[in-house]
Amino acid sequence: MSQLEVLIFDVDGTLADTERDGHRVAFNQAFEEAGLDWDWTVELYGELLQVTGGKERIRLYVEKFLEGFELDEDISDFAARLHQRKTHFYLELLQSGAIPLRSGVERLINEAREADLRLAISTTTTPANVDYLLSATLGKQSLNWFEVIAAGDIVPAKKPAPDIYTWAMQQMKIKPENCLAFEDSLNGVKSSLAADLKTIITINGYTKDDDFSGAEIVLDQYGEPNQPFTVIEGDAAGFDYVNLDFLKEIHAR
Ligand code: XBP
Ligand code: MG
């Protein structure tokens, strides 16, 4: 029977609900600054989330959603430049404290630390975004709580490819059977399952209708002792919020 040793967290949508009021707003600020009349509405952004990675999302928009947009430079250079400014605006948002952690996240991380579980992050987002989110919500010292922060372009293929998870496990010299992954989206669960990781899902506004087949359980949140989660799919075995005993039960399945 494999021992649960490592918790690997996704970031966007999992640690914090960052997409609608965070990344999307920062993209629009960068478009305005660049003099582009692009407006990624809440609805349009939900469609653009089909692809992971901000640079890749800009490229998808130009190539698939815009009619006759003329570029006098390489699309990759254009997207990278625009994305750099988007990241600037997103970091400002994070620094302002505008984006809190989701319910139960801070408690679960602290419980895991007290039980000497090892922690890691596997995310498609830009590394600086992780540093700023953790610093703004848990304090700068929290960056040291995560043995590995695998983020963004550190791997060739982004989610739904498994690369970001397999890279993190290689760095930690740990096998999938000793880990649990925490995700929020179809691209995320495809990535963690392809890395042979048992996965716990918390949905959000953009991912509530995604297909989470293969995940161990799908919840609306991790919850708190006095704020029970709602089970969307799966068996919570009598638990009503995510704590270490719940994780051990899930991991032992
Ligand atoms: C979510 C993503 C990221 C963010 C935007 O990552 O796909 O691309 O939407 O961040 P995850 P960047 O769910 O894996 O945390 O603009 O920095 O890519
Ligand atoms: Mg996510």
Side-chain angles (χ1 to χ4, degrees), residues 10 12 19 23 53-54 57 83 86 123-126 129 159:
D10 161 56
D12 295 303
E19 294 291 0
H23 289 296
R57 197 162 299 144
H83 186 254
K86 172 264 172 179
T123 174
T124 306
T125 201
T126 301
N129 296 349
K159 298 176 185 176

Side-chain angles (χ1 to χ4, degrees), residues 10-14 19 123 159 183-185 188 204:
D10 161 56
V11 174
D12 295 303
T14 298
E19 294 291 0
T123 174
K159 298 176 185 176
E183 271 290 350
D184 74 296
S185 68
N204 55 66

Side-chain angles (χ1 to χ4, degrees), residues 31-67:
F31 303 154
E32 185 182 3
E33 182 190 61
L36 295 164
D37 65 349
W38 301 354
D39 175 23
W40 284 5
T41 62
V42 171
E43 189 185 355
L44 170 59
Y45 192 67
E47 287 184 64
L48 296 172
L49 278 171
Q50 64 186 273
V51 69
T52 60
K55 294 187 288 294
E56 295 78 356
R57 197 162 299 144
I58 291 168
R59 186 173 189 133
L60 170 77
Y61 180 64
V62 169
E63 293 176 343
K64 298 275 186 317
F65 287 74
L66 281 185
E67 297 286 326

Side-chain angles (χ1 to χ4, degrees), residues 25-207:
V25 171
F27 277 111
N28 286 330
Q29 287 175 311
F31 303 154
E32 185 182 3
E33 182 190 61
L36 295 164
D37 65 349
W38 301 354
D39 175 23
W40 284 5
T41 62
V42 171
E43 189 185 355
L44 170 59
Y45 192 67
E47 287 184 64
L48 296 172
L49 278 171
Q50 64 186 273
V51 69
T52 60
K55 294 187 288 294
E56 295 78 356
R57 197 162 299 144
I58 291 168
R59 186 173 189 133
L60 170 77
Y61 180 64
V62 169
E63 293 176 343
K64 298 275 186 317
F65 287 74
L66 281 185
E67 297 286 326
F69 178 70
E70 294 294 317
L71 254 187
D72 52 11
E73 66 176 303
D74 175 77
I75 176 77
S76 300
D77 297 341
F78 169 79
R81 203 158 32 78
L82 201 48
H83 186 254
Q84 239 175 359
R85 293 304 296 162
K86 172 264 172 179
T87 300
H88 163 80
F89 290 116
Y90 183 64
L91 295 180
E92 278 187 341
L93 264 175
L94 290 174
Q95 238 169 358
S96 74
I99 304 188
L101 294 179
R102 291 193 64 178
S103 140
V105 167
E106 181 168 359
R107 172 185 53 75
L108 187 61
I109 287 172
N110 285 329
E111 282 179 20
R113 291 178 60 228
E114 280 151 29
D116 292 325
L117 285 179
R118 299 162 68 191
L119 299 176
I121 278 175
S122 285
T123 174
T124 306
T125 201
T126 301
N129 296 349
V130 185
D131 294 355
Y132 275 63
L133 174 70
L134 293 177
S135 301
T137 54
L138 296 171
K140 205 135 183 61
Q141 74 289 345
S142 66
L143 295 178
N144 302 319
W145 300 350
F146 298 85
E147 242 176 271
V148 169
I149 298 182
D153 298 327
I154 195 113
V155 289
K158 290 183 170 149
K159 298 176 185 176
D163 302 40
I164 199 75
Y165 278 105
T166 48
W167 187 87
M169 289 189 281
Q170 279 158 6
Q171 300 300 310
M172 298 176 85
K173 296 184 175 46
I174 195 82
K175 292 193 178 76
E177 53 267 35
N178 300 109
C179 305
L180 278 177
F182 299 79
E183 271 290 350
D184 74 296
S185 68
L186 175 61
N187 281 323
V189 75
K190 280 183 174 176
S191 174
S192 59
L193 293 178
D196 294 326
L197 287 160
K198 287 187 177 176
T199 305
I200 292 170
I201 299 290
T202 39
I203 61 170
N204 55 66
Y206 279 127
T207 68

